[in-house]
Amino acid sequence: ENLVAKFQILAAEGDILAQRGAWDPAIDAYTRALAIRPTDKHCLVSRSRCHIHAGHGKLALEDAEESLKEDKNFFKGIYQKAEALYAIGDFETALVFYHRGNRLRPELDEFRTGIQKAREAIENGIGNPKETKITVPHNLRKQLAAVAAMEAEAASDPSMRKAAAAAREAQGSPKGIAFAQKGQETPMTLNPALESKLLGELYDDKLYLEGLLADRDFMNYPDDEVISLVSDGIRYLEARVDFWRQQNPLYARPKEKKIKPRMER
């Protein structure tokens, strides 16, 4: 009979301690209250909030998820789960739950603020490709330049084409890019040096996007939407390469002619 009163006293004690910023004592008070009423969603949310301030992100997430077990639309639990996900660095999933809460309670500023800060965190983590330059190792640049020179000479002198092919093999045959050709099932590969000549400044952008997909942190914490955008960008650049190659093949171009990209960075 006194359990209800005891629960209320302990929960109120936790609230007072939390207001004072005494996170660990507040967590202890909420824990004792939850021992009496383990499924109280308001108490779980309060303890989750204290865990975040105390630096216990995973424990905060556990409490937030527990608060949603009986009511998936409990907006305080949704907000707290988003905050816990943000605290542990899972910004993409946090953004999903901020949006979910904003759909349920669009009048609350907390969800709109959460959406904004999650988006900024994602952008800061991934970076802006227009402001990012990929540093190509000097040795690789020398190899590409040598192969490009051989290819240019071969374009003007057919007798040099075998030498250019041998040079590519001697350089270790850098990995090419596959293209699906009309009426062909076997994809063609394009030498990186030629691809660089076709894309011009956009070649660095393509290297950046390919490097992003291969980034270890990005692979460990993938985001379907970002992966889709990056893949679309790579496919677009590959399609441009294929189009430019067919419209004006390298061997048909005057030696002094330079490739002018049709897209601005």
Side-chain angles (χ1 to χ4, degrees):
E1 54 184 345
N2 292 326
L3 289 180
V4 174
K6 187 175 181 180
F7 170 82
Q8 292 175 342
I9 291 172
L10 289 170
E13 180 184 345
D15 292 342
I16 293 171
L17 290 167
Q19 289 174 3
R20 295 174 179 173
W23 309 118
D24 288 332
I27 289 171
D28 180 65
Y30 288 131
T31 300
R32 286 183 286 147
L34 287 166
I36 300 171
R37 194 181 295 176
T39 60
D40 187 89
K41 58 186 181 182
H42 296 282
C43 195
L44 285 165
V45 164
S46 296
R47 188 172 69 173
S48 175
R49 191 181 302 114
C50 291
H51 276 310
I52 288 178
H53 286 289
H56 312 145
K58 290 184 178 179
L59 293 175
L61 181 58
E62 290 175 6
D63 278 349
E65 289 177 335
E66 188 69 26
S67 74
L68 292 168
K69 278 191 173 180
E70 294 182 357
D71 181 4
K72 299 295 183 184
N73 292 326
F74 176 46
F75 75 93
K76 290 184 179 180
I78 291 173
Y79 177 75
Q80 197 54 42
K81 182 172 182 177
E83 289 283 277
L85 287 165
Y86 184 91
I88 64 175
D90 191 350
F91 307 124
E92 294 84 358
T93 311
L95 181 59
V96 170
F97 280 90
Y98 284 129
H99 273 296
R100 185 174 299 178
N102 190 52
R103 284 195 298 269
L104 288 171
R105 298 294 298 271
E107 75 278 7
L108 296 179
D109 291 335
E110 289 86 344
F111 289 116
R112 289 193 294 272
T113 302
I115 290 170
Q116 182 179 353
K117 72 177 183 181
R119 283 177 176 169
E120 290 176 354
I122 293 169
E123 290 173 2
N124 291 337
I126 295 175
N128 187 341
K130 291 184 178 180
E131 298 175 357
T132 304
K133 281 285 186 181
I134 298 296
T135 302
V136 180
H138 181 65
N139 290 340
L140 178 57
R141 286 189 179 276
K142 288 178 64 179
Q143 290 180 3
L144 292 176
V147 174
M150 292 291 290
E151 292 288 349
E153 193 170 354
S156 59
D157 184 358
S159 65
M160 291 294 295
R161 290 179 184 173
K162 289 185 179 180
R168 286 197 301 272
E169 292 179 3
Q171 294 293 349
S173 297
K175 188 176 180 182
I177 305 299
F179 296 97
Q181 300 292 318
K182 260 190 176 179
Q184 293 183 353
E185 292 184 2
T186 305
M188 295 182 62
T189 58
L190 190 65
N191 186 283
L194 300 183
E195 185 181 19
S196 176
K197 289 172 73 68
L198 287 165
L199 283 176
E201 292 184 353
L202 294 177
Y203 185 63
D204 283 347
D205 291 329
K206 188 168 185 295
L207 289 178
Y208 170 80
L209 293 174
E210 291 172 341
L212 182 61
L213 286 181
D215 183 82
R216 182 176 299 177
D217 291 336
F218 190 74
M219 293 173 67
N220 289 338
Y221 302 99
D223 178 77
D224 291 340
E225 183 178 355
V226 176
I227 289 174
S228 176
L229 291 172
V230 172
S231 300
D232 287 346
I234 292 174
R235 282 194 295 269
Y236 175 80
L237 291 174
E238 289 176 347
R240 291 293 87 197
V241 168
D242 196 29
F243 174 77
W244 290 331
R245 182 179 58 78
Q246 293 184 42
Q247 289 291 104
N248 193 10
L250 284 173
Y251 61 78
R253 295 175 190 154
K255 190 172 181 180
E256 68 277 4
K257 187 174 181 179
K258 294 182 180 181
I259 303 301
K260 293 183 179 181
R262 301 189 182 180
M263 290 175 54
E264 292 295 328
R265 287 173 58 81

